[in-house]
Amino acid sequence: MSVREGETGVAGLGGWLRLIRDAARGRSVDAAHGPIGEAIVLLAVPMVLEMAMESVFAVADIFFVSRLGADAMTAVGLTESMMTLIYTVAIGLSIGVTAVVARRTGEGNRNGASRAAGQAILLGVITSAVLAIVFAPRADELLRLMGAEETVLEIGSSYTAIMIGGNAVILLLFLMNAAFRGAGDAAIAMRVLWLANSINIVLDPLLIFGIGPFPELGVTGAAIATNIGRGTAVVVQLALLLKGTGVLHVAARHLRVVPEVMGRVIRLSATGTLQTFIGTASYVALVRIMAEFGSEAVAGYTIAIRIVLFALLPAWGLANAAATMVGQSLGAGKPDRAERSVWLAGRMNLVFLGSVGVLFMAGAPQIVGWFGGGGDTAHYAVTALRVISLGFVFYSYGMVLTNSFNGAGDTWTPTYINLLCFWLWEIPLAWFLSYRTGLGAAGVFVAITVAFSTLAVVSALVFRRGKWKTVAV
């Protein structure tokens, strides 16, 4: 290891600002060599912007659809609840893809990395086809199962059918971006999401309200706009992979099933999907506990969680950068560099999330007001936002550490940690604090903060043991 590999490689505020500017422009990065801090920033900035774009999708659709009334909003909300399962699958599959592509890239095996990307495309096509065939024709049934009234069905069934039927654009977008991130081409993943969002934001009002020559499609227009935006991004991704402008060059031979590689991706991805599902299911359980305290409590909790998730999405950019650093460093035979990268990314995330936490603590009433909270709903939302923000200091490290296990291909360790911290600790604690103490609904908020903190501590202890350094991928 050279001395330079252990340094940040950046001097002064001006140097950091120039580096951030270069990262946003898409400067190439070799995650397995050179200054660690510089490599993390060059990976993280595009990933942060990429995650921010993911949050914009939902905000843009809700902004325009809200003009159509409560039934349209309900249709979107119920559909998004169902789409959460598709996002869970997409995120879980992405974990395996990033781990394999990063490891092959670190080894200098570009053909192996491209083959893994090709298998990811095949996996996305197969999985999305099954989901579309099974669930899209049953849009009405699914909405009824979610409690939709007839007026909501009349307005929203086509929206639900199009969103579920077009799930391929979600899966392929996630999987190919995971491959780009694993190869260190984070700027490509960022740019295609900027493209997708730009198209969605332009088409949303045109197709929803029928502006100019466009038909007035109502809430269905939002689904079409979203799928066109994401679909265009997928076409661009495929074109870049087939052209081979970066590390990855997917040829026709890579688009045939290779059982060994496909099996490896599926094995890691299946565990990643379970890992993601554990976190998603715990959220549902907490909502059920909150429901006992009335609709205002649930509404306030929902507002607070949306604000928190909006803040956490960019923080996942740093966590994803750490995963790529780990995968490529291990592939290059540099486990010590991998470990140093994780701790440095954790410190960077601490600065970001810690600052956001202070902002949320001080400005909670104003921030909640921007999201339409008032009366008792606002009281619950402000309390939730402030209490949950106390856990940001810990979770800044927790999210980096758990994602670093995934980057190393050790997907079972964070799955066990999530199971322990969320199902066996957070949910029972939330129930006890809410029903057996005087905290009431605030008991759920405290349980979330405690779970965040526990996740960070447990992850750090397990990470220091170093078994993740020897996992074969």
Side-chain angles (χ1 to χ4, degrees):
M1 181 198 75
S2 67
V3 174
R4 184 169 169 75
E5 283 193 0
E7 300 169 351
T8 63
V10 187
L13 178 60
W16 284 107
L17 293 176
R18 284 192 296 273
L19 184 61
I20 292 172
R21 180 198 61 194
D22 290 346
R25 290 177 175 176
R27 175 179 152 189
S28 60
V29 54
D30 183 351
H33 304 89
I36 293 175
E38 182 176 309
I40 291 175
V41 172
L42 289 174
L43 285 170
V45 169
M47 291 181 184
V48 167
L49 295 174
E50 177 193 350
M51 293 296 103
M53 286 300 98
E54 274 299 327
S55 65
V56 169
F57 257 114
V59 173
D61 284 350
I62 290 295
F63 176 80
F64 291 112
V65 171
S66 64
R67 273 63 179 169
L68 299 177
D71 287 338
M73 285 284 289
T74 301
V76 172
L78 293 177
T79 302
E80 282 299 313
S81 297
M82 291 183 277
M83 294 298 291
T84 298
L85 296 176
I86 292 176
Y87 287 117
T88 297
V89 173
I91 294 170
L93 295 178
S94 299
I95 289 172
V97 173
T98 297
V100 177
V101 172
R103 186 66 68 94
R104 299 292 87 82
T105 301
E107 293 169 351
N109 183 0
R110 290 195 172 193
N111 183 60
S114 298
R115 184 183 296 112
Q119 300 304 292
I121 293 172
L122 291 175
L123 184 60
V125 170
I126 294 170
T127 304
S128 62
V130 172
L131 291 172
I133 292 170
V134 173
F135 295 109
R138 296 172 173 81
D140 282 359
E141 299 172 35
L142 293 172
L143 283 173
R144 284 194 179 93
L145 186 64
M146 295 294 292
E149 299 177 355
E150 288 302 319
T151 53
V152 174
L153 288 173
E154 183 179 348
I155 291 175
S157 60
S158 60
Y159 175 87
T160 304
I162 292 171
M163 290 300 293
I164 296 177
N167 78 88
V169 297
I170 296 174
L171 285 175
L172 290 173
L173 187 64
F174 270 70
L175 291 176
M176 284 190 280
N177 271 354
F180 284 126
R181 287 195 300 269
D185 290 332
I188 294 177
M190 171 191 69
R191 286 168 181 161
V192 296
L193 271 175
W194 277 91
L195 173 64
N197 270 286
S198 299
I199 294 173
N200 182 53
I201 291 171
V202 171
L203 288 181
D204 255 345
L206 297 178
L207 293 175
I208 292 173
F209 307 116
I211 298 174
F214 293 89
E216 184 178 351
L217 300 176
V219 69
T220 303
I224 295 174
T226 297
N227 278 286
I228 290 176
R230 284 186 169 132
T232 303
V234 167
V235 171
V236 172
Q237 288 175 314
L238 286 170
L240 292 172
L241 287 173
L242 293 173
K243 186 178 180 181
T245 55
V247 173
L248 301 176
H249 183 192
V250 176
R253 68 180 185 278
H254 297 136
L255 294 174
R256 293 191 295 268
V257 175
V258 180
E260 180 186 358
V261 180
M262 180 67 81
R264 185 179 298 116
V265 172
I266 290 176
R267 175 176 56 83
L268 294 173
S269 297
T271 313
T273 302
L274 174 61
Q275 180 186 135
T276 307
F277 173 76
I278 289 171
T280 303
S282 68
Y283 167 75
V284 175
L286 293 179
V287 171
R288 179 64 186 86
I289 294 173
M290 287 293 303
E292 295 296 322
F293 298 97
S295 58
E296 290 85 0
V298 174
Y301 173 72
T302 301
I303 290 173
I305 289 297
R306 285 183 178 178
I307 296 170
V308 168
L309 291 177
F310 192 83
L312 289 183
L313 275 173
W316 275 112
L318 271 164
N320 287 333
T324 298
M325 291 291 295
V326 167
Q328 290 201 22
S329 296
L330 291 178
K334 299 179 178 180
D336 291 341
R337 175 185 175 86
E339 185 170 0
R340 289 197 306 276
S341 300
V342 172
W343 292 120
L344 181 54
R347 290 197 294 273
M348 291 179 175
N349 216 21
L350 173 63
V351 172
F352 171 71
L353 272 186
S355 300
V356 173
V358 172
L359 175 64
F360 283 178
M361 288 286 292
Q366 292 77 18
I367 296 171
V368 168
W370 296 339
F371 283 77
D376 289 339
T377 296
H379 169 73
Y380 283 113
V382 169
T383 303
L385 189 58
R386 282 176 168 163
V387 173
I388 293 173
S389 296
L390 293 174
F392 279 10
V393 172
F394 291 93
Y395 200 49
S396 59
Y397 273 95
M399 63 198 309
V400 168
L401 289 166
T402 54
N403 225 32
S404 297
F405 287 121
N406 289 327
D410 183 11
T411 53
W412 275 112
T413 293
T415 300
Y416 291 139
I417 293 175
N418 281 1
L419 182 64
L420 169 67
C421 293
F422 295 138
W423 283 14
L424 302 181
W425 178 226
E426 181 185 54
I427 295 173
L429 182 63
W431 180 88
F432 176 80
L433 293 176
S434 298
Y435 299 153
R436 293 293 183 265
T437 71
L439 291 176
V444 173
F445 315 148
V446 173
I448 292 173
T449 301
V450 172
F452 280 0
S453 305
T454 306
L455 179 82
V457 173
V458 172
S459 297
L461 292 174
V462 176
F463 185 82
R464 286 187 178 279
R465 295 173 62 186
K467 290 187 177 180
W468 54 271
K469 297 178 182 179
T470 59
V471 174
V473 174

